[in-house]
Amino acid sequence: MDQKLTSLKAGNKKECNFMGTILSLIWLASIVCIWYFWRKKPDKKYLLTSVAVLVVSTFLYSLTPEYRADSAKREAESASKASSKSISRSL
């Protein structure tokens, strides 16, 4: 356990991937709970709680390093495509 904590503090990204997975599972579970407490067994309190969990898990997922790396990669790809299009148009 101490070795995992040390590797997390050191910035080992392979060990840190579990956070995005956990948040994705929480997100999916909250979607199922929203459906369940809206259609199957209506309960306004649990429905609102499920919506709040969905919003919070979405926000927290956007803070994970893997999401930021994916979005940076997508931005770099779109920038390179845009620059290659502008170069080909100028020729």
Side-chain angles (χ1 to χ4, degrees):
M1 184 69 176
D2 291 332
Q3 188 178 21
K4 284 187 178 184
L5 289 175
T6 306
S7 65
L8 286 175
K9 289 179 184 177
N12 189 350
K13 291 189 179 188
K14 286 189 176 186
E15 293 291 331
C16 198
N17 287 339
F18 70 93
M19 184 59 75
T21 304
I22 290 172
L23 288 171
S24 297
L25 290 174
I26 291 171
W27 190 84
L28 288 173
S30 65
I31 293 289
V32 170
C33 287
I34 288 170
W35 169 79
Y36 182 79
F37 292 123
W38 186 10
R39 296 286 181 185
K40 286 293 225 180
K41 187 179 178 185
D43 189 342
K44 192 173 184 178
K45 177 183 170 186
Y46 290 137
L47 176 66
L48 292 175
T49 303
S50 300
V51 169
V53 168
L54 177 73
V55 170
V56 169
S57 64
T58 303
F59 173 73
L60 289 176
Y61 184 75
S62 69
L63 298 177
T64 59
E66 57 197 33
Y67 175 79
R68 289 184 179 193
D70 288 343
S71 63
K73 189 184 300 182
R74 277 186 258 127
E75 286 179 16
E77 288 174 358
S78 65
S80 67
K81 285 180 183 179
S83 66
S84 65
K85 283 183 182 180
S86 65
I87 291 172
S88 63
R89 287 183 185 170
S90 64
L91 294 176

